[in-house]
Amino acid sequence: MKDKMMFYGVTLGKRYTRRQKEVFLNEVIKKCQESGIKTDFMTKHTRVTHICNLVIGDLKKAKKIVCAAYDTPSIAINPFYQYYPFNPKLNVKEESRNLIVEVVLGVILMGLCYFMLTYTMAQGMLIKILGILITGLVILFCFFYLFKGKANNFNFNRNSGAVVLIMQLIENVKNQDVAYVLLDKTTDGYEGLKLLKENVNDHQLIILLDAISSGEKTVVAHNSIDVSDLLMDGWVDKQFDDTDNTVGYFKRCIMISRGEIINHRFVVKGTRSRNDYHFDYDGLKNIYEQLLKYLEG
């Protein structure tokens, strides 16, 4: 798995733009073809969005479907940004805080540009040119980092670790009743999950791999499903029945995530930042081995 993490987490670690996603998907499809496993696209196109999930295996016949988001986020301007896997409301608050930081920073930078241009236009030609160049650079920064968003460089927890685990399972699980789906537009929303929901039935078990690259606690969340065969000593068994929660989005769902508990909240730190490069090989291997037995059982 270490080689796969280098490939999917470093070489193909940025999957934010459409082009970056296409390069990644082409490589995954190539790997599946080499193993004789069929793939198919699950897509939805509108004027404002383009969703492309990748299905690996036979989705209609599958009894268990292992999923993970393959898209990666933009850099968060808020340095204190935190991700809450099981609390969408807190995630909305985090996004709002980040947006406020972006707006405030943008206003400050535009104000500085205005005063800089006002001052330099009354100076000599060299100062004028320098003022215009600096203003142009600031505007480009605001466009790519604040307005358009820039791809985060390191995304081990969200969600290269989960992608690596799925690619490892694909090579070793022999059970034909298992399929896999790599989800688009799921790291920062629910579009990919919604599209998946439209294409599965209530009898199929959805196993969603979230932030699993590193973390002090491993949580196996579910909605009234027996997960005793999946748990390891020290893992947290958490049942959710809240329909607003990702786990409650499907009739039968298991969601695995790693993080830490702060103020009675399960939190994943470091995502959407340059700090998302931590890779706990032993922890990821444990999840892989447990899932392998669970899927083959």
Side-chain angles (χ1 to χ4, degrees), residues 107-159:
V107 170
I108 291 173
L109 291 175
M110 289 297 102
L112 289 175
C113 286
Y114 172 77
F115 288 113
M116 181 180 295
L117 285 176
T118 302
Y119 172 76
T120 56
M121 287 302 102
Q123 306 302 313
M125 183 58 67
L126 184 60
I127 300 299
K128 286 182 181 178
I129 294 173
L130 184 61
I132 292 171
L133 286 175
I134 293 175
T135 300
L137 290 174
V138 171
I139 291 173
L140 286 175
F141 171 85
C142 291
F143 176 76
F144 285 107
Y145 279 85
L146 304 183
F147 177 70
K148 188 178 180 181
K150 191 176 189 308
N152 195 41
N153 290 330
F154 302 101
N155 305 282
F156 280 21
N157 243 341
R158 299 207 71 198
N159 277 45

Side-chain angles (χ1 to χ4, degrees), residues 278-296:
H278 299 287
F279 173 38
D280 176 12
Y281 173 75
D282 291 334
L284 195 63
K285 184 181 178 182
N286 286 337
I287 296 175
Y288 162 72
E289 291 175 346
Q290 290 300 107
L291 268 174
L292 182 64
K293 290 188 293 184
Y294 186 76
L295 295 174
E296 291 284 16

Side-chain angles (χ1 to χ4, degrees), residues 2 18 36 43 62 85 134 142 159 169 202 248 257:
K2 291 181 180 178
R18 188 166 176 176
T43 61
I134 293 175
C142 291
N159 277 45
L169 289 169
D202 291 342
S257 189

Side-chain angles (χ1 to χ4, degrees), residues 25 40-44 50-56 68-71 180-186 191-197 199:
L25 291 175
D40 197 8
F41 289 113
M42 182 190 297
T43 61
K44 187 174 185 179
H50 171 85
I51 308 169
C52 183
N53 295 344
L54 180 65
V55 179
I56 303 170
Y70 73 84
D71 62 317
Y180 310 86
V181 182
L182 295 175
L183 302 165
D184 189 14
K185 294 189 179 297
T186 303
E191 287 88 348
L193 278 174
K194 289 178 182 176
L195 183 57
L196 174 64
K197 186 176 177 66
N199 289 272

Side-chain angles (χ1 to χ4, degrees), residues 203-245:
H203 300 293
Q204 292 172 305
L205 174 62
I206 307 299
I207 302 174
L208 181 60
L209 305 180
D210 194 45
I212 58 173
S213 182
S214 63
E216 297 175 1
K217 296 285 186 179
T218 299
V219 176
V220 179
H222 57 93
N223 46 11
S224 302
I225 294 173
D226 181 9
V227 295
S228 57
D229 292 338
L230 184 57
L231 294 172
M232 281 188 68
D233 289 340
W235 288 12
V236 179
D237 179 353
K238 182 65 176 177
Q239 180 175 324
F240 285 103
D241 296 312
D242 185 357
T243 55
D244 291 334
N245 187 287

